[in-house]
Amino acid sequence: MDVQLLAALVLGVAAVVAIIVWSRLDAFVGLLAGALVTGVVAGVPINDLIGYITSGFGDTLAGIGIVIALGVMIGKVLEESGGADALARMFVRAFGKGREDVAMTATGAVVSVPVFCDSGFVILHPLARSLARRYGKPLVGVSLALAGGLAVTHHLVPPTPGPLAAVGLLGADLGTVVVAGLVMAVILVPVVVAYARIMGQRLERHLDPELLPEPAAAGAAASGGAPGGSASAGSPADAAADGPGHDAKPRVHPALAAIPLLLPLLLIVGNTVSGAAAEGSRVADVFAFIGEPAVALLIGLVIAVYLLPRLDIERTTVVGWLTSAAASAGMIVFITGAGGAFGEVLRQSRVGDALAEEVSTWPVPLFLMPFLIATFVRIAQGSGTVAIITAATLGAPLVQSAGVDPTLAVLSACSGSFVFSYVNDSFFWVVTRFTGLSGAPAMKMWTGATTTLWLASIPLLGIAALVLG
């Protein structure tokens, strides 16, 4: 590899990592700075370099920015309306007594598709505490099951921001990635449950009750959730599923809560299937429109806004939810666009091509390169979303030159981002502090769980490589 191009790549990536880890700036600035450093060191004329950055940023957002914003808005409506809690109650009743950890894993996996992990855990953890208390289950185990379920789909299944950004950066088909990510997530769910059952028993003695946050409605939960405490509580399983403050407001039916989540996914997958099976037909043309990700998620958002909030909730309140969601989505959109800008500089400066030629001689399957890049970035700066975006950005020229299937490349980048969640990851603190663990037990709980998922995904990627080619 040309020394100048190698130096451009190394210094550019070093600038990204240094800014994210050691400065007060964030990943958006870090990726833009990395693009500038790479272009200057590679010898790209300044005027051309600025043009590459702006075109890469704009082209990326044109394909994925609207979708990210709409996905976050759907999640916010589910969160604020009680839809996420309704889905949790449904899964607890479905799996029954003795399988509370399975129910919490399944709940987390479904809720995390539109809702951020941090929010999902905060919303559902009171339910986990209620189940642990009622049935004598280790709180660590039930909490770990919930967190693991949230993490699995958050890292693998669009429209969560990381996988969605990787789809755009690597040029994959969104419907195919949704299906492949769901299959991989379903296989990893038993890994989460097994780890939660093993570590829950071992770590429960390290739990510090003083670290547990007391929910505001704890008193109402204790009285309303007691066996036989009220006529409306129903069975003990129903009462446990209701969680804190369950009688404070009308409930959202879980079937209604599922519609804004499942319908867009079905439309997107329907677009992919009809395009492959009946290309040029009227059905394929219809799905090509309503199954376009932006249109499908817009349909889901409209349904969520008019179906889930109670009738007495004012319009200004719902608009406030959407405004808050837009603010949350803004930085993710910017980071994704900055990743596209960095990728365009890599392509136009030929740094990406040179790296692809060099890496092709390594004794490592090329479909694992995004996995390895995401692994290193995740450990360095903590964010799984940033790790996925960076891996997709740097891996794009490698997998394109080698002819690696884009869906496989997306799965590879997403799987690498599981690894070693620890103190530089905000979700680490949410999970461990809400559970009541600190120090080494906290790392055994959550750092160990994410690294186990990372290891379990490696053979699955090998199988995916055989299937997808």
Side-chain angles (χ1 to χ4, degrees):
M1 184 173 179
D2 183 271
V3 175
Q4 183 180 3
L5 295 181
L6 176 61
L9 177 65
V10 171
L11 292 175
V13 174
V16 175
V17 174
I19 289 174
I20 294 174
V21 175
W22 292 307
S23 79
R24 295 183 178 182
L25 301 173
D26 59 16
F28 171 66
V29 178
L31 287 166
L32 288 180
L36 287 170
V37 170
T38 299
V40 169
V41 176
V44 178
I46 295 300
N47 290 338
D48 292 343
L49 176 58
I50 299 302
Y52 298 152
I53 290 175
T54 54
S55 64
F57 186 90
D59 291 345
T60 301
L61 292 193
I64 214 73
I66 295 174
V67 178
I68 291 176
L70 291 172
V72 173
M73 288 181 181
I74 292 173
K76 186 66 174 179
V77 175
L78 276 170
E79 173 187 334
E80 297 290 348
S81 67
D85 184 63
L87 292 171
R89 292 196 304 268
M90 178 186 69
F91 278 107
V92 169
R93 293 191 183 99
F95 286 96
K97 184 178 179 180
R99 299 185 182 89
E100 292 80 11
D101 50 0
V102 180
M104 294 312 299
T105 304
T107 299
V110 171
V111 168
S112 188
V113 173
V115 178
F116 287 114
C117 280
D118 302 57
S119 298
F121 192 86
V122 172
I123 293 166
L124 297 174
H125 191 255
L127 173 62
R129 292 180 64 178
S130 176
L131 292 173
R133 180 173 60 248
R134 177 172 300 280
Y135 295 114
K137 298 291 183 180
L139 176 60
V140 175
V142 180
S143 301
L144 181 52
L146 170 62
L150 288 162
V152 164
T153 47
H154 180 79
H155 286 263
L156 287 173
V157 183
T160 50
L164 195 56
V167 167
L169 292 168
L170 289 165
D173 178 79
L174 181 57
T176 304
V177 173
V178 168
V179 173
L182 284 172
V183 170
M184 197 166 178
V186 168
I187 297 173
L188 289 176
V189 161
V191 176
V192 172
V193 175
Y195 190 88
R197 289 181 176 178
I198 293 170
M199 298 307 294
Q201 294 287 351
R202 295 180 180 179
L203 297 177
E204 189 73 7
R205 62 188 177 90
H206 296 288
L207 190 148
D208 183 356
E210 294 185 0
L211 292 177
L212 289 170
E214 287 297 331
S223 60
S230 68
S232 63
S235 67
D238 289 342
D242 292 334
H246 67 275
D247 56 352
K249 60 183 180 180
R251 300 172 180 171
V252 176
H253 195 283
L256 295 180
I259 292 175
L261 172 60
L262 295 180
L263 181 60
L265 295 178
L266 291 175
L267 292 176
I268 291 169
V269 173
N271 182 19
T272 300
V273 173
S274 62
E279 184 178 2
S281 68
R282 179 63 60 86
V283 173
D285 291 342
V286 170
F287 271 104
F289 175 69
I290 63 174
E292 175 67 25
V295 176
L297 286 167
L298 180 60
I299 292 172
L301 177 61
V302 172
I303 291 174
V305 165
Y306 285 98
L307 195 63
L308 299 186
R310 302 192 316 273
L311 295 178
D312 60 339
I313 293 180
E314 297 182 359
R315 173 186 175 276
T316 54
T317 301
V318 177
V319 171
W321 296 349
L322 300 182
T323 301
S324 174
S328 299
M331 185 51 65
I332 297 169
V333 170
F334 287 153
I335 292 173
T336 303
F342 196 179
E344 184 66 14
V345 172
L346 288 173
R347 284 188 290 272
Q348 296 294 341
S349 64
R350 295 199 69 255
V351 171
D353 293 338
L355 179 61
E357 294 174 5
E358 176 65 24
V359 171
S360 64
T361 64
W362 294 5
V364 177
L366 279 178
F367 74 87
L368 285 178
M369 292 310 300
F371 178 88
L372 296 176
I373 295 170
T375 296
F376 292 129
V377 175
R378 164 74 160 183
I379 293 173
Q381 53 77 49
S383 169
T385 299
V386 173
I388 294 172
I389 292 172
T390 305
T393 300
L394 297 179
L398 307 181
V399 299
Q400 290 168 3
S401 64
V404 176
D405 185 271
T407 298
L408 178 59
V410 171
L411 294 178
S412 179
C414 294
S415 298
S417 69
F418 277 123
V419 71
F420 208 76
S421 169
Y422 68 122
V423 296
N424 60 355
D425 178 11
S426 63
F427 193 45
F428 171 88
W429 295 108
V430 172
V431 172
T432 57
R433 288 310 168 94
F434 268 75
T435 304
L437 293 178
S438 61
M443 293 194 68
K444 289 179 182 178
M445 175 198 181
W446 189 236
T447 307
T450 55
T451 303
T452 299
L453 287 171
W454 176 80
L455 289 169
S457 67
I458 296 175
L460 297 182
L461 287 176
I463 296 172
L466 294 175
V467 174
L468 298 172

